[in-house]
Amino acid sequence: MHLVLIVVSAIVTAVFLGWGGLVVGGLLGYCLAEVVGLKKRLLELEERLSDSTQAVRAETTSVATESRSVAAKIPTKDRNSVEKVASQPDFPEEEVVFAVASGDEKAGMSASHEDNSDEQPVTSSLPDKLTAAIKRFFTEGNPVVKIGLVVLFFGVAFLLKYAADRSLLSIGARLILTASGGVSLVLLGWRLRNRPLGYGLGLQGGGIGILYITAFAAAKLYALIPLSAALFILVGMVIFSGVLALAQSARVLAAMGVIGGFLAPVLMSTGAGDHVLLFSYYAVLNIGIFAIALFKTWRELNLIGFFFTFGIGSYWILDRYSAAHFNTTEPFLILFFVLYVAIAVLFALRQPVRLKGVIDGPIVFGTPIVASMQQYQLVSESEYGMAVSFLAAGVMYLLLALFLRRSDRREGAGSRVLSEAFLALGVVGVSMSIPLAFDSKVTVAAWALEGAALVWVGVRQSRLLARIFGLLLQFGAGFIFLASVFYPFGSTPYINHYFLGCAWIGTGALFSSYWLYRRKDISLSWEQYLCWPLLIWGIVWWYYGGFRESTRHFEYLRDHNALLLFASALTMLLSIAARKCNWKQLAVAQCQFLPVLLFCGVVGLLADDGLEHLFAGWGAMVWAVAIFTQHRMLQQFDLLWPKRLAGSWHGAGFLLMLLLLCYELSWYVANTGFSEVWQVVFWGVFPALVLQLLIRFGARLAWPVQRWSEYYLGIVPTVIATALIGWLMWSMTSSGEAMVWGWLPLLNVLELSQICVFLSLLGWFIACKREHCHLPLPMRPAAIGWIFSFCVFLWANSIVAHAVHHWTGIAYHLEPLYQSVVFQAAVAGLWSMIALGVTLWSSRSGSRVLWISGAVLIGCVVVKLFVIDLSGTETIARIVSFLVVGALMLVIGYISPMPPAEERDTV
């Protein structure tokens, strides 16, 4: 229900007030949810009280019955004493039934022997409560006296009004007669105080009400006594009625006296009264109610004072208040507010043991709501009036919550419910003061930190509602920040409200995620799913702030370098926090650094700012710091990360560094006067060298190669080898460059580098066969051998193509080479020589598969001769190709016949 009320209130308020009303509506919904929740708890306590009271009375009745049966067996001379003992009450003279939140208590119940045998059922709906109250008024106690006193009270008031209008008696005589009647009723009621059904109490209450009217009329209407003297008289009557009520434990008498006191100025008002005198008079009455609250938990008395004080005060503020009245009105509002907060505290602390934890919901939550509405009318013309008011009230409630919490731990006062209510009101008050006093920048930061604090309090105290409210505050702060906060021009990098706002929101989210992760035992199951979203939310806000700073400043660093440096510093900081707090989720979240590295590298490669490479300017320093951060992070979280994630990040990081170094080397070669072919060479030679170093010497490194051998001696070499095969295919498309001695096959830069790559691949292939390296895929070494052989075959064709290109001047492109008779003849001879070599090898090794491969190649040569070369039989090159191929086929057939098939065992 709490979450529903918060969400519904937030949505409704947002419809009318925009996004800013979303959080305000959530706060109001939170207060309403607290009232509903506490009301429900109070009703449950009331039901338990009713059940326990019935059980105690049933036990008392059984004990009395047993005592009388025992007394019947005792001799007559001792029976009177036994009956006297059995008739003693089990409860003290003090009344034992106290008002709970629903307010159904026995009217007129006191120590003067009132009948408590009939219990009223607990009602939950407002119409039922109203019906029950009316029924009790006319059926319980002495209804005749109640109605008669009410009629008499109004009659005296109308009589005085009538006499004043017609001058029937002198003013003094009228007031003396009225006061005498009031005193007589009080004395008669005191004499008859032991009469059943509260007869004497009713007379005393009526007499006190008449005395209130008389004193007020003598001072205000007729000026027979000074106002100061009248004030002292009223104070005396309040004290007198309070003493009578306390002496007789008669809450009805106290209620009648208070009602009479509050109604007196209303009934005798002429419409032109002094508000200072009115509020001073009400202040005296409320102080009297507070004095009674020091000794009794009479809830109806508190409610009467609350409704009369704030009800009449609200009417006067709406009807008569102006800015000129502020100095004479504000002190009274503060006094009334403090008094009823104190009364709420006394009501909770002075409950009997069986009702510990019961609070007066209307007083606790109604006081700040009504007082804030009145305060708004009083300070509406002040810019920071409501902000200061909310802040002062919030701080007061927080201090009271702290006091009650300590009191509950020290004395067992049962005030936990009230302390939680005050904590909620304090948080709401402080939260509301921020947007009223500051702009959205400060509001965002304060709400983010306050939301994190609420999550912490909710976790420590196992309060779900506090945790939910704290999370809503943080998300509300984020939305307000994006909607209303703009980047300040000309600000200092990282020391401006924009970046600090992002930092506070991110820190609050990380803090909340940590405490939900740490206290899994008290969090609900669905709350555990919030840890990762909060963690990601916090890191994203940090990166967002850093990204905005990088794009606004640091032109000399380049944007991506500034972002990379910020990401390195943030990763170091979060890594330290993860290790210090033993926070595995934050440690795993640092895997985001590698995608940031990749992003900054790609942006740097694509940047068109005239620098052309990553390590230009401050880039070398920035990337050195980033590589160190990556290495250190992997080392620290070696055991904290999941194995597959850590291994994948080791391999991916190594390959990324290799890629960046290759790019930098090729850029350096290209910008030092070398030709384009040297760039191609370094893209192949450097990875081939790294592959050999990794295979031959990597295992000597305990960390990270031996620790993660599956990746450094498995996946990484395989990826490099695959890339080198791709490089071979790409390098064959280059025309190459002749040396100073001209073009010599195999003795030029391009083909020498290709030989180095082939040797590196051969070393990797041998290491895989010897199981020094691990193949990540279920691929047999024979398949790798066939791939390697195919690459060698293509490379041999490229050697021929390069020679034809450089020696004959034919363009190094597919179409010119295809049309070249010389190239076709050379290719036919090359294929025949390769076929001869393969068949000779197959004959020596006895491999029928190799011989068939050579035969297939010979077949391709024959098909090529008759499909392509036959059209050029008139040229010398074509004639030579036919003669050479034919002679080689005869040689193959003579010296390398087909090996016999493998013999199979027969059964």
Side-chain angles (χ1 to χ4, degrees), residues 534-555:
L534 282 172
L535 183 60
I536 296 172
W537 173 267
I539 294 177
V540 167
W541 272 104
W542 271 99
Y543 269 106
Y544 176 70
F547 176 77
R548 293 302 300 270
E549 295 297 309
S550 302
T551 56
R552 293 283 182 173
H553 308 281
F554 310 109
E555 291 81 2

Side-chain angles (χ1 to χ4, degrees), residues 340-387:
Y340 280 96
V341 171
I343 288 172
V345 174
L346 291 175
F347 182 83
L349 294 181
R350 294 194 56 81
Q351 293 288 352
V353 177
R354 57 186 173 182
L355 292 180
K356 289 299 184 184
V358 176
I359 66 173
D360 196 344
I363 300 294
V364 171
F365 295 103
T367 300
I369 292 175
V370 177
S372 62
M373 296 170 63
Q374 293 184 354
Q375 181 71 0
Y376 176 76
Q377 296 293 329
L378 267 61
V379 300
S380 58
E381 298 182 3
S382 174
E383 182 178 3
Y384 299 106
M386 285 304 296

Side-chain angles (χ1 to χ4, degrees), residues 268-284:
M268 303 302 295
S269 175
T270 61
D274 185 4
H275 67 282
V276 175
L277 181 62
L278 175 66
F279 292 148
S280 300
Y281 173 72
Y282 277 4
V284 172

Side-chain angles (χ1 to χ4, degrees), residues 222-242:
Y222 307 114
L224 294 180
I225 57 176
L227 293 178
S228 57
L231 185 61
F232 280 109
I233 293 173
L234 292 176
V235 171
M237 287 191 291
V238 171
I239 296 174
F240 177 67
S241 60

Side-chain angles (χ1 to χ4, degrees), residues 143-155:
V144 177
V145 175
K146 296 177 184 178
I147 298 173
L149 287 174
V150 172
V151 173
L152 180 62
F153 183 80
F154 281 93

Side-chain angles (χ1 to χ4, degrees), residues 30 397-398 401 418-428 454 457 461:
Y30 172 75
Y397 276 120
L398 291 176
L418 185 61
S419 67
E420 292 173 356
F422 280 176
L423 177 62
L425 291 172
V427 169
V428 171
L454 275 177
V457 171
Q461 299 182 2

Side-chain angles (χ1 to χ4, degrees), residues 669-837:
V669 169
N671 286 270
T672 52
F674 291 92
S675 61
E676 182 181 352
V677 69
W678 286 93
Q679 298 184 53
V680 178
V681 167
F682 272 93
W683 273 104
V685 173
F686 185 74
L689 178 62
V690 171
L691 178 61
Q692 285 304 303
L693 291 175
L694 188 61
I695 292 173
R696 293 180 180 274
F697 306 105
R700 300 181 183 180
L701 299 175
W703 192 93
V705 179
Q706 285 187 11
R707 173 73 174 84
W708 300 99
S709 60
E710 179 184 354
Y711 295 89
Y712 282 102
L713 297 178
I715 296 177
V716 171
T718 303
V719 173
I720 296 176
T722 305
L724 288 176
I725 292 174
W727 178 85
L728 285 171
M729 300 298 105
W730 173 56
S731 65
M732 293 175 192
T733 63
S734 176
S735 61
E737 181 182 4
M739 307 296 290
V740 293
W741 54 79
W743 180 266
L744 293 178
L746 302 180
L747 295 178
N748 56 81
V749 175
L750 180 61
E751 292 176 353
L752 285 174
S753 66
Q754 291 172 341
I755 292 173
C756 292
V757 171
F758 273 117
L759 292 176
S760 180
L761 289 173
L762 182 61
W764 170 71
F765 175 66
I766 294 173
C768 290
K769 290 193 67 174
R770 296 177 179 177
E771 297 184 352
H772 294 165
C773 288
H774 317 289
L775 289 174
L777 299 176
M779 182 183 296
R780 292 195 286 178
I784 301 176
W786 281 105
I787 295 174
F788 185 80
S789 301
F790 180 73
C791 292
V792 172
F793 174 75
L794 294 178
W795 176 60
N797 285 270
S798 72
I799 294 174
V800 173
H802 283 114
V804 171
H805 164 65
H806 287 280
W807 289 345
T808 64
I810 298 174
Y812 193 77
H813 296 291
L814 182 60
E815 184 64 25
L817 290 173
Y818 180 79
Q819 299 295 334
S820 172
V821 177
V822 177
F823 177 72
Q824 292 293 347
V827 167
L830 174 66
W831 289 9
S832 300
M833 293 295 294
I834 294 175
L836 176 61

